Amino acid sequence: MSIEIRRSIDVEDAVRLALTDNLAVYCRPLPADYALPHILVTQVGGSDANGIDTFEITLDSRAETEAEALEYLRNAVGVLRAKAGGQGTQIRHVEVNSSGSWGADPVRPDLAMCSARLTVIAHLEKTTIN
């Protein structure tokens, strides 16, 4: 017997798809061979209320220099804001909680890395399962 359900979207993939036309972007696991600069998208939390999901995500930008990593991160946030609510994306709204915080890449300390934490709002999706 099939049933129609409402469920959360795969927010990491939705963000990846929104950014992929303009930037190099990955979801975990980060591949061994990756382009620089790039963005890594990770869901770190979230909640739902009244049929709307509120996701917490981080965008980690890695590049050869700090200036390049920061510019790439700022561009990623700008692209998400521009595409939110538009055709072809499940993302409805984007809010920046923190941006430009520096961190050490645990695997590649030779690379510059900076991060932003965002709230991404999306409607639940409908699907039918058997």
Side-chain angles (χ1 to χ4, degrees):
M1 170 180 250
S2 51
I3 184 172
E4 185 176 280
I5 62 169
R6 295 170 53 86
R7 65 182 184 186
S8 297
I9 65 167
D10 179 347
V11 70
E12 290 177 350
D13 198 49
V15 169
R16 183 190 63 77
L17 289 171
L19 295 176
T20 199
D21 287 342
N22 305 98
L23 304 164
V25 59
Y26 304 99
C27 297
R28 290 181 186 265
L30 189 60
D33 256 352
Y34 51 76
L36 285 178
H38 73 256
I39 298 291
L40 177 66
V41 182
T42 307
Q43 181 181 349
V44 294
S47 64
D48 66 20
N50 302 319
I52 298 175
D53 274 338
T54 303
F55 298 99
E56 296 294 322
I57 66 164
T58 58
L59 301 180
D60 294 319
S61 176
R62 288 176 178 83
E64 295 287 341
T65 67
E66 290 182 355
E68 186 180 25
L70 182 58
E71 181 176 359
Y72 213 70
L73 179 66
R74 291 172 46 226
N75 288 343
V77 171
V79 170
L80 277 179
R81 285 180 170 155
K83 291 190 175 181
Q87 294 293 323
T89 183
Q90 296 170 298
I91 298 167
R92 296 290 151 240
H93 183 71
V94 174
E95 295 176 8
V96 177
N97 299 325
S98 65
S99 184
S101 59
W102 293 102
D105 187 325
V107 177
R108 294 276 312 269
D110 58 312
L111 295 179
M113 185 175 93
C114 63
S115 302
R117 187 170 179 135
L118 310 176
T119 299
V120 174
I121 297 171
H123 291 284
L124 297 171
E125 65 183 6
K126 291 180 185 177
T127 192
T128 301
I129 60 172
N130 294 321

